[in-house]
Amino acid sequence: MALSKSPRVTMNDGNTIPVLGFGTYAPKSVPKSESEMATKVAIEVGFRHIDGAFLYENEKEVGRAIRAKIADGTVTREEIFYTGKLWSTHHRPELVRPALEETLKNLQLDYIDLYIIHWPVSFKPDKDKFPLDENQKVIGDSVDLSDTWEALEKCKDAGLVKSIGVSNFNRRLLEMILNKPGLKYKPVCNQVECHPYLNQSKLLEFCKSNDIILVAYSALGSHRETQWVDQSTPVLLEDTVLAAIAKKYNRTPAQVALRYQIQRGVVVLAKSFTEKRIKENFQVFEFQLTPEDMKVIDDLNKDLRYLTLNQCQEFPNYPFNDEY
């Protein structure tokens, strides 16, 4: 039986998260106004989970879209689940709450539903999101992420955010938080790149065993920006196996890739700035993949990571040097 429309799953703190989210990241070539338009369309077609970040530089536009859809009666604030992210220049404990407050000011919201550490590598506090030295190398900062986590716990206690989590953490970094003396709240989620070419099966198993939800970004591949992505990598949505399964169900390869994650117990994010695709991406609750289809898609795994942020490889907490 297919899942009901826009289902939610319960996180380890008792709050719920919609299993399908709308990603708001856009390349710099996309006008900020497009983020506002796309977010409105997403809410209109049924998305209730909106995934944003300070790094994306479009929080004001996304916030305007959310507030417009609340004002016109499409949704209530309680129906919207908004994720914000703490950027690497704000890891010092004293900078965490001011960063969250800036996000709330940009969004013009009283609270957000989820706030996560965006990237486990710390950068020097700076107005530039990637502060560079004279050799054009990113300047790091020495911060214990356990201290950053404690500052997040205080933001939760203050009612500025309902749930707290992490992103791009590997097993070692998750264990560092989970084993922290005096831990008050476990991370509710770990948001990572995850798609049929990088199915993260070991990390997913570890997260499930610790009651942490895995949230998949780049679930349809990636935007393939030359700045971040090796252009020689294969395009996920052109995969012939995905295409064949999509044809069998009279669906798109994107719908199959999203449905695959939902059936694995992964919360999945879909990004698009095209109205037709935004609508299609929400239509993943109308069909179900067979166990055989799921196995075939599992077998597409190549451990292929589109987004590597190689310029951070020398930093202590760079997460992609470990197995998982």
Side-chain angles (χ1 to χ4, degrees):
M1 189 176 77
L3 288 165
S4 62
K5 196 171 183 183
S6 196
R8 289 176 172 244
V9 289
T10 302
M11 301 181 288
N12 63 41
D13 64 355
N15 294 323
T16 61
I17 183 172
V19 299
L20 178 63
F22 180 72
T24 61
Y25 172 76
K28 290 202 183 304
S29 57
V30 175
K32 301 287 181 232
S33 58
E34 292 284 303
S35 300
E36 188 172 346
M37 177 281 299
T39 304
K40 283 181 180 176
V41 170
I43 294 171
E44 285 163 3
V45 305
F47 282 93
R48 296 294 177 260
H49 176 177
I50 309 296
D51 182 82
F54 177 72
L55 179 68
Y56 303 166
E57 299 183 344
N58 59 5
E59 286 179 322
K60 289 180 180 175
E61 290 78 11
V62 171
R64 267 202 301 271
I66 292 170
R67 295 195 319 276
K69 291 290 101 188
I70 292 171
D72 72 9
T74 304
V75 287
T76 63
R77 172 64 188 94
E78 293 70 35
E79 288 173 315
I80 290 290
F81 185 101
Y82 182 87
T83 299
K85 303 187 187 81
L86 177 75
W87 184 238
S88 295
T89 49
H90 299 101
H91 282 180
R92 293 184 186 181
E94 68 272 16
L95 300 179
V96 172
R97 180 164 176 161
L100 174 52
E101 286 173 340
E102 185 173 353
T103 282
L104 291 171
K105 185 180 175 185
N106 287 339
L107 294 163
Q108 294 288 293
L109 296 175
D110 296 328
Y111 70 91
I112 57 174
D113 301 272
L114 175 62
Y115 199 46
I116 62 181
I117 298 174
H118 197 159
W119 175 237
V121 176
S122 303
F123 299 158
K124 173 194 163 193
D126 196 270
K127 61 176 174 35
D128 291 326
K129 295 180 177 66
F130 288 88
L132 303 175
D133 64 16
E134 63 275 9
N135 300 313
Q136 298 302 294
K137 291 198 166 181
V138 182
I139 306 169
D141 194 25
S142 180
V143 181
D144 185 338
L145 289 177
S146 294
D147 296 335
T148 308
W149 185 256
E150 281 185 18
L152 279 176
E153 290 179 325
K154 288 174 182 170
C155 289
K156 175 176 164 69
D157 284 338
L160 300 176
V161 59
K162 303 278 189 188
S163 301
I164 52 176
V166 297
S167 179
N168 296 303
F169 274 46
N170 57 21
R171 175 179 178 155
R172 173 178 57 86
L173 293 169
L174 284 170
E175 285 179 332
M176 180 185 75
I177 300 294
L178 292 171
N179 298 329
K180 187 184 87 63
L183 180 71
K184 190 168 186 182
Y185 304 116
K186 283 168 59 170
V188 296
C189 71
N190 184 23
Q191 186 181 126
V192 296
E193 179 179 343
C194 185
H195 44 75
Y197 286 170
L198 180 71
N199 69 25
Q200 299 276 20
S201 58
K202 288 183 179 177
L203 186 60
L204 175 59
E205 188 180 333
F206 176 78
C207 285
K208 283 183 174 179
S209 71
N210 285 279
D211 200 14
I212 295 170
I213 287 171
L214 193 112
V215 180
Y217 72 73
S218 293
L220 305 178
S222 80
H223 276 291
R224 305 190 68 81
E225 288 178 85
T226 52
Q227 182 183 3
W228 310 116
V229 177
D230 179 352
Q231 298 303 294
S232 67
T233 52
V235 178
L236 177 70
L237 295 183
E238 293 176 3
D239 187 274
T240 54
V241 173
L242 281 182
I245 293 173
K247 188 176 180 184
K248 180 169 95 171
Y249 290 96
N250 195 24
R251 298 285 166 177
T252 66
Q255 288 171 326
V256 170
L258 295 172
R259 181 72 208 185
Y260 165 71
Q261 299 289 11
I262 290 168
Q263 288 187 213
R264 301 171 78 211
V266 170
V267 168
V268 64
L269 305 175
K271 273 192 294 237
S272 179
F273 286 85
T274 309
E275 186 168 350
K276 178 176 180 285
R277 289 199 188 121
I278 293 171
K279 287 178 178 174
E280 285 176 350
N281 289 344
F282 193 74
Q283 293 166 350
V284 292
F285 305 114
E286 300 166 7
F287 73 108
Q288 186 146 351
L289 299 168
T290 65
E292 293 75 23
D293 293 326
M294 293 292 289
K295 174 70 169 65
V296 168
I297 299 171
D298 275 338
D299 290 344
L300 292 176
N301 183 58
K302 311 174 192 286
D303 291 329
L304 170 69
R305 195 178 293 282
Y306 287 112
L307 298 164
T308 57
L309 283 173
N310 284 330
Q311 63 267 52
C312 299
Q313 233 168 345
E314 303 307 313
F315 288 81
N317 283 338
Y318 182 78
F320 307 143
N321 290 331
D322 298 358
E323 184 194 0
Y324 71 98

